[in-house]
């Protein structure tokens, strides 16, 4: 219910109003029982007593209910299981509250008790009870005053509203003869004008003789209405109900499913929705009661509940246990996604939670509304799930009138009504919420907008796409099926990475395949044409006929277009000359690559390529110790030969090679710094933090020498130093005279335990320590668990007379770095002697 020209404060989806006291939580709060939320503890600083929720940890096992075929029996089973679990878990708590003479309300739908005017001492007692999961502060939600863009009187009939026509609901009526009959729909909202001309006929409490019975059809948990009859002192609930069920028979065709019967619960007052009222309303939906709140009857529960309210997305899983109970009972909940767009990550809660099915809003031009909240939602989930008409939506308002409202609040009832049409026309889906969600997703009209993430077919702006009620019902008629397969090279049998598979038929799908060449689609049953294509291959088409509930595997082998062979051998180029096992990759620079593996014994390879093209050829040994090579190769109209050579890497770990060293090695075997070596610990001057020890030569932390060396070693053990310590420490070498060295290398054995806030590095000075240059560094993960050897070439040091090395470590409670056998000098790699 928002005018797009107004500020976001006028959002139709409900906006969170935290009832916790503003200001910082006292420091002592953390020291109290962790079961009690800080907001509750803070409230005791302001007053002697407060209200709070006590949530129990026990969860009822509702899985067996889904196997019960009868609707009434299934509903009663869910209620009985919830009741039994709550009664058992809450018994000690209820006894304590009774003894303390504290008012409370126990709920079985969420296994929680709402406690009123309780003291801190009582909260502490409750926290110690077995099974108490959390004591948390209640939350209040607010619903803004509706914005009426074009008010209209009772006689101003305009025919079919644009939203109903846009989603093809009228086509469902015409083709199936069903308009929602046999389905009961509900909303938790601000109430409903039950005798509104567009709603009175579909109100379940309307009797044939013109009288009304409100038992089991209306719930007012806070008793705000002047009588037992439904009322709406806001207009929001009447408007959303009209979009689902409204039709006055005189031309005001405002409802998607005017053949349904509706009931309602007043979870919101004039402008606020208390958490207690929302939970009470949600519980009533599972087993509606008479007007006194007694004699619950699960057989009278609704099929679908619309929830056009929400708040900013939160980590609090509010109402998720209730949603699970609804689903187990066969009730489908629909949620608005929020009106905080156009920014990304603005999805509301509960709609933005993974478990709930939420709706975004678009206008008459099928463009997403600027206010419609975007995803992603909880844990990166694509939100909204789907989008529906939500701009200038004409529907009923109190006083027998009609008005145009904007918001995702207006979009959600379109989806709720569409589900009612599906369940009315295809009763086999009634109570099957998972299958219904799948059909909604499959039948939605794909609308590309990846500005907030996702794909063209499923993105965080439109969700799965725009609602199409006719396609939804037709999808339900056809049923669903699964098609999968692998696209391979017809010559080699290998998967074709990057191949594109396009399906056309009842649905259209396109995807680019990964390295395994596999595809898998869940589809509406029917006949599909599958087209597989890839660069360098002939396009291939096949027909797939999918029956309802079918699972079909359809593999496609793509014939190659004309190829010519690049052949040769991959061999050692550092002295041994033997054949090497390697992977050769050719890249045409246009996003296409071809791969081949050389023979491990001979090094022979064959790479089939397209003619008359230039490729970048990358060769990587699949055995350790060799550097990769990169070169250009141009193919003509016929094949050619190209032998490839790889040289051993600086680490000199290749099979058949040995290291020859000529220089100085420091073994760090003494318990103190070796002669000429110095330790410098930098004081950061942070109060209450010690900057020592830094580099040491004893093993106080008991790490052991895991560097690969033997005896003693140098170490900075930040983790052993513990809290209250931080390190910024240098270990500096004496001077090395490298004037006779044509090449210079640093090598050291080490064991590096990483941490997010640790930094290691090696610095080089060629002027006696006056200036330094970092020649190697590693920050955070993944570290280098020992035994590990690192080799650093020092070309700047060759021929220099005063060369120094320093090892630098920064960290705070962040692992360790142990170093041994540090070598500086000439280091060569040559074939080992026979």
């Amino acid at each position: 219910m928002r005018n797009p020209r107004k500020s976001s404060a006028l959002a139709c989806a409900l906006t969170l109003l935290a009832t916790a006291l503003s200001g910082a939580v006292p420091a002592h709060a953390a020291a109290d029982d962790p079961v009690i939320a800080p907001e509750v503890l803070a409230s005791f600083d302001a007053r002697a007593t407060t209200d709070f929720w006590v949530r129990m940890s026990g969860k009822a096992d509702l899985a067996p209910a889904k196997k019960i075929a009868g609707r009434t029996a299934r509903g009663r089973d869910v209620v009985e299981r919830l009741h039994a679990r709550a009664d058992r878990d809450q018994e000690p708590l209820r006894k304590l509250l009774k003894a303390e003479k504290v008012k409370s309300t126990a709920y079985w739908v969420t296994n929680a008790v709402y406690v009123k005017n309780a003291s801190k001492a009582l909260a502490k007692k409750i926290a110690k009870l077995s099974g108490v999961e959390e004591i948390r502060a209640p939350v209040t939600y607010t619903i803004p005053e509706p914005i009426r863009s074009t008010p209209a009187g009772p006689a101003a009939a305009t025919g079919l509203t644009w939203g109903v026509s846009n989603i093809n609901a009228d086509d469902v009526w015409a083709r199936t003869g069903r308009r929602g009959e046999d389905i009961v729909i509900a909303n938790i909202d601000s109430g409903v004008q039950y005798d509104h001309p567009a709603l009175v006929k579909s109100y379940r409490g309307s009797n044939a003789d013109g009288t009304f019975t409100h038992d089991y059809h209306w719930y007012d948990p806070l008793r705000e209405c002047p009588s037992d009859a439904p009322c709406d002192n806001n207009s929001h609930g009447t408007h959303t109900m009209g979009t689902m069920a409204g039709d006055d028979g005189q031309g005001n065709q405002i409802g998607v499913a005017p053949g349904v019967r509706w009931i309602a619960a007043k979870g919101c007052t004039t402008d606020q929705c208390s958490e207690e009222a929302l939970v009470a309303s949600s519980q009533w939906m599972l087993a509606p009661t008479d007007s006194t709140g007694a004699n619950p009857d699960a057989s009278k529960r609704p099929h679908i509940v619309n929830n056009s309210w929400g708040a900013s997305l939160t980590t609090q899983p509010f109402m998720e246990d209730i949603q699970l109970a609804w689903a187990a009972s066969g009730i489908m909940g629909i949620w608005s996604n929020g009106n905080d767009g156009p920014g990304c990550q603005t999805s509301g809660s509960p709609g933005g939670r993974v478990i709930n099915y939420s709706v975004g809003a678009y206008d008459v031009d099928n463009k997403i509304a600027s206010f419609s909240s975007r995803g992603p939602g909880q844990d990166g989930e694509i939100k909204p799930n789907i989008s529906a008409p939500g701009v200038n939506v004409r529907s009923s308002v109190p006083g027998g009138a009609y008005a145009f409202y904007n918001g995702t609040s207006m979009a959600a009832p379109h989806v709720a009504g569409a589900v009612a049409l599906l369940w009315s026309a295809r009763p086999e889906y009634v109570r099957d919420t998972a299958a219904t969600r799948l059909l909604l997703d499959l039948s939605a009209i794909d609308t590309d907008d990846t500005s907030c993430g996702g794909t063209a077919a499923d993105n965080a702006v439109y969700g799965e796409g725009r609602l199409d009620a006719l396609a939804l019902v037709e999808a339900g008629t056809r049923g669903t099926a699964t098609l999968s397969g692998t696209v391979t090279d017809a010559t080699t049998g290998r998967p074709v990475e990057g191949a594109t598979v396009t399906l056309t038929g009842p649905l259209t799908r396109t995807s680019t395949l990964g390295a395994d060449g596999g595809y898998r689609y869940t589809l509406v049953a029917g006949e599909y044409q599958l087209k597989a294509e890839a660069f360098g291959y002939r396009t291939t088409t096949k027909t797939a006929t999918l029956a309802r509930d079918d699972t079909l595997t359809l593999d496609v082998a793509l014939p190659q277009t004309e190829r010519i062979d690049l052949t040769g051998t991959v061999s050692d180029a550092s002295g041994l000359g033997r054949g090497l096992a390697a992977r050769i990759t050719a890249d045409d620079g246009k996003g296409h690559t071809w791969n081949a593996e050389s023979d491990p014994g001979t090094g022979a390879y064959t790479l089939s390529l397209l003619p008359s093209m230039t490729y970048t050829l990358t060769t990587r040994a699949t055995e350790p110790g060799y550097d990769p090579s990169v070169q250009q190769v141009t193919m003509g109209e016929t094949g050619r030969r190209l032998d490839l050579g790889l040289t051993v890497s600086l680490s000199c770990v290749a099979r058949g090679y040995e290291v020859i060293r000529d220089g100085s090695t420091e073994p760090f075997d003494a318990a103190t710094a070796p002669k000429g070596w110095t330790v410098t610990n930098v004081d950061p001057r942070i109060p209450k933090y010690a900057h020592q020890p830094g580099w040491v030569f004893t093993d106080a932390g008991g790490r052991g020498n895991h560097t690969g060396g033997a005896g003693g070693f140098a170490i900075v053990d930040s983790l052993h130093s513990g809290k209250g310590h931080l390190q910024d420490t240098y270990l500096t070498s004496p001077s090395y005279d490298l004037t006779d060295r044509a090449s210079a290398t640093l090598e050291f054995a080490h064991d590096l335990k990483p941490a997010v806030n640790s930094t290691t590095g090696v610095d080089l000075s060629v002027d006696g320590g006056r200036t330094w240059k970092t020649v190697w560094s590693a920050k955070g993960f993944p570290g280098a668990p020992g035994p590990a050897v690192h080799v650093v070439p020092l070309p700047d040091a060759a021929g220099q007379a005063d060369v120094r090395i320093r090892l630098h470590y920064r960290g705070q409670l962040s692992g360790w770095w142990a170093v041994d056998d540090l070598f500086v000098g000439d280091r060569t790699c040559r074939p080992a002697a026979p």
Side-chain angles (χ1 to χ4, degrees):
M1 298 177 311
R2 188 170 89 166
N3 187 326
R5 295 171 293 181
K6 301 294 183 180
S7 71
S8 60
L10 297 174
C12 174
L14 311 187
T15 305
L16 178 64
L17 174 64
T19 56
L21 299 177
S22 60
V25 176
H28 68 75
D32 283 284
D33 195 308
V35 172
I36 307 175
E39 294 81 7
V40 176
L41 294 169
S43 68
F44 286 124
D45 290 341
R47 53 189 180 274
T49 63
T50 191
D51 297 352
F52 52 75
W53 283 97
V54 182
R55 295 176 61 87
M56 311 303 294
S57 59
K59 307 297 181 186
D61 179 13
L62 303 180
K66 295 184 179 180
K67 300 177 182 179
I68 299 175
R71 183 173 188 272
T72 297
R74 177 175 174 177
R76 287 173 179 168
D77 185 75
V78 168
V79 172
E80 289 170 1
R81 289 174 179 273
L82 291 169
H83 254 302
R85 184 73 201 216
D87 290 344
R88 181 171 67 253
D89 292 353
Q90 297 173 18
E91 183 179 9
L93 173 59
R94 295 176 188 178
K95 286 182 178 179
L96 175 60
L97 294 173
K98 184 177 181 180
E100 296 281 345
K101 298 182 179 179
V102 172
K103 292 183 178 180
S104 64
T105 305
Y107 292 94
W108 44 265
V109 69
T110 186
N111 200 2
V113 177
Y114 188 64
V115 182
K116 300 179 181 180
N117 294 319
S119 66
K120 184 175 183 179
L122 178 57
K124 287 179 169 293
K125 288 182 182 180
I126 294 172
K128 291 180 173 61
L129 293 176
S130 175
V132 172
E133 181 178 64
E134 178 188 28
I135 297 175
R136 70 172 179 87
V139 173
T140 299
Y141 296 77
T142 182
I143 179 169
E145 183 67 22
I147 302 300
R148 305 186 180 196
S149 53
T150 310
T158 60
L160 198 67
T161 64
W162 80 265
V164 173
S165 175
N166 176 271
I167 67 169
N168 299 315
D170 53 329
D171 291 327
V172 175
W173 307 342
R175 297 191 190 186
T176 68
R178 305 290 287 179
R179 306 200 312 161
E181 289 79 7
D182 303 322
I183 301 300
V184 178
I185 208 161
N187 67 4
I188 296 176
D189 214 305
S190 63
V192 182
Q193 183 197 343
Y194 71 99
D195 57 357
H196 190 289
L199 296 173
V200 65
K201 293 179 182 178
S202 54
Y203 175 42
R204 197 172 70 179
S206 295
N207 300 319
D209 60 0
T211 61
F212 298 94
T213 302
H214 304 302
D215 292 340
Y216 301 101
H217 315 311
W218 165 247
Y219 183 53
D220 181 11
L222 301 182
R223 300 288 181 179
E224 291 194 321
C225 294
S227 68
D228 289 340
C231 72
D232 181 5
N233 48 6
N234 179 285
S235 79
H236 187 271
T238 302
H239 199 280
T240 60
M241 188 60 77
T243 298
M244 292 187 283
D247 188 341
D248 67 351
Q250 303 297 318
N252 284 296
Q253 294 178 287
I254 58 174
V256 173
V260 299
R261 303 288 272 172
W262 66 262
I263 63 175
K266 188 170 172 52
C268 303
T269 62
T270 302
D271 58 359
Q272 291 187 341
C273 312
S274 72
E275 198 170 46
E276 185 180 20
L278 292 172
V279 171
S281 296
S282 299
Q283 180 170 282
W284 183 86
M285 290 295 172
L286 280 172
T289 65
D290 61 26
S291 58
T292 68
N295 302 309
D297 187 346
S299 70
K300 293 182 170 59
R301 70 191 187 282
H303 295 87
I304 304 156
V305 181
N306 185 75
N307 303 272
S308 286
W309 54 272
S312 299
L313 191 62
T314 174
T315 57
Q316 174 63 241
F318 174 58
M319 291 192 75
E320 289 195 359
D321 49 357
I322 295 174
Q323 290 300 291
L324 291 171
W326 279 6
S329 183
I331 296 174
M332 184 159 185
I334 303 295
W335 299 83
S336 58
N337 196 51
N339 291 352
D340 292 324
C344 302
Q345 295 183 312
T346 52
S347 292
S349 186
R353 306 289 294 179
V354 173
I355 193 174
N356 294 322
Y357 201 84
S358 68
V359 187
Y362 61 83
D363 63 20
V364 70
D365 296 319
N366 294 331
K367 301 295 184 183
I368 199 72
S370 61
F371 59 77
S372 185
S373 289
R374 276 72 160 166
Q378 176 196 4
D379 299 333
E381 183 81 358
I382 292 295
K383 290 287 176 174
N385 296 85
I386 200 168
S387 294
V391 178
N392 287 329
V393 174
R394 183 177 185 270
S395 188
S396 48
V397 291
Y402 300 86
F404 293 86
Y405 289 169
N406 305 320
T408 58
S409 283
M410 284 58 258
H414 283 84
V415 177
V419 172
L421 292 179
L422 170 68
W423 286 6
S424 178
R426 306 299 311 185
E428 65 268 32
Y429 292 102
V430 173
R431 303 190 301 281
D432 191 343
T433 58
T436 300
R437 288 176 66 146
L438 175 61
L439 290 174
L440 282 165
D441 293 347
L442 292 177
S443 62
I445 302 169
D446 290 345
T447 310
D448 187 359
D449 189 332
T450 58
S451 58
C452 290
T455 65
D458 185 16
N459 55 72
V461 176
Y462 289 90
E464 291 281 357
R466 305 193 316 275
L467 175 66
D468 186 335
L470 179 61
L472 173 66
V473 174
E474 289 181 342
T477 301
R478 290 176 176 269
T480 60
T482 301
L483 177 66
S484 62
T486 304
V487 177
T488 58
D489 184 312
T491 301
T492 66
R494 295 173 182 168
V496 179
E497 182 177 3
T500 299
V501 170
T502 302
L503 283 176
T504 55
L507 297 178
T508 300
R509 295 289 186 267
T510 300
S511 57
T512 301
L513 308 187
D516 64 353
Y519 69 90
R520 182 181 180 84
Y521 300 106
T522 299
L523 302 164
V524 174
E527 185 172 284
Y528 289 86
Q529 293 298 314
L530 182 149
K531 179 173 69 174
E533 51 192 337
F535 186 78
Y537 294 88
R538 296 190 183 95
T539 298
T540 301
T541 60
K542 289 192 174 185
T543 299
T545 302
L546 301 175
R548 189 186 189 99
D549 300 324
D550 199 2
T551 298
L552 178 64
T553 299
L554 186 63
D555 297 327
V556 182
L558 292 181
Q560 297 179 357
T561 55
E562 182 186 359
R563 302 289 177 92
I564 55 175
D565 290 339
L566 177 67
T567 60
T569 60
V570 181
S571 61
D572 174 290
S574 293
L576 293 181
R578 58 187 174 84
L580 294 176
R583 181 176 177 83
I584 306 96
T585 300
D587 189 330
D588 68 359
K590 300 177 182 178
H592 310 119
T593 60
W594 293 261
N595 300 288
E597 306 284 341
S598 64
D599 182 88
T602 65
Y605 75 91
T606 299
L607 185 60
S608 294
L609 301 173
L610 301 181
S612 304
M613 295 186 68
T614 297
Y615 300 89
T616 298
L617 209 64
T618 302
T619 307
R620 290 183 173 85
T622 54
E623 61 176 276
Y626 290 87
D627 291 325
S629 74
V630 179
Q631 61 193 97
Q632 298 289 314
V633 60
T634 299
M635 303 297 292
E637 296 295 329
T638 59
R640 59 170 291 186
R641 181 179 179 87
L642 178 66
D643 293 328
L644 303 167
L646 299 179
T647 57
V648 296
S649 60
L650 186 62
S651 63
C652 198
V653 296
R655 175 169 51 94
Y657 284 84
E658 63 181 356
V659 176
I660 303 299
R661 299 179 180 86
D662 183 11
S664 301
T665 300
E666 177 50 61
F668 299 113
D669 283 337
T672 59
K675 183 178 179 180
W677 288 77
T678 59
V679 175
T680 305
N681 298 320
V682 179
D683 186 355
R685 302 184 183 278
I686 299 176
K688 299 182 180 181
Y689 275 87
H691 64 286
Q692 295 175 330
W695 284 101
V696 297
F697 306 90
T698 57
D699 188 11
R703 306 302 179 193
N705 193 341
H706 295 290
T707 66
F713 52 93
I715 186 171
V716 184
D717 199 336
S718 179
L719 192 61
H720 177 70
S721 297
K723 295 181 179 179
H725 292 77
L726 49 79
Q727 293 77 32
D728 187 0
T729 181
Y730 296 87
L731 175 59
T732 306
S733 75
S735 175
Y736 295 100
D737 183 357
L738 302 181
T739 53
D740 295 331
R741 306 295 182 187
S743 62
T745 304
L746 166 70
E747 179 185 10
F748 55 89
H750 68 148
D751 177 24
L752 175 59
K753 174 71 173 180
V756 172
N757 60 342
S758 67
T759 302
T760 55
V762 176
D763 300 332
L764 169 70
S765 174
V766 296
D767 56 10
R770 289 188 296 275
T771 61
W772 295 90
K773 174 184 177 182
T774 299
V775 292
W776 174 80
S777 65
K779 182 176 182 180
F781 291 91
V789 174
H790 198 76
V791 182
V792 183
L794 303 175
D796 294 345
Q800 300 296 322
D802 192 356
V803 176
R804 297 173 191 262
I805 302 294
R806 69 182 185 186
L807 309 180
H808 185 199
Y809 184 93
R810 292 194 195 96
Q812 177 192 357
L813 200 64
S814 57
W816 61 81
W817 188 22
V819 177
D820 200 3
D821 296 336
L822 185 143
F823 168 83
V824 176
D826 282 340
R827 181 183 182 281
T828 57
C829 185
R830 71 181 186 186

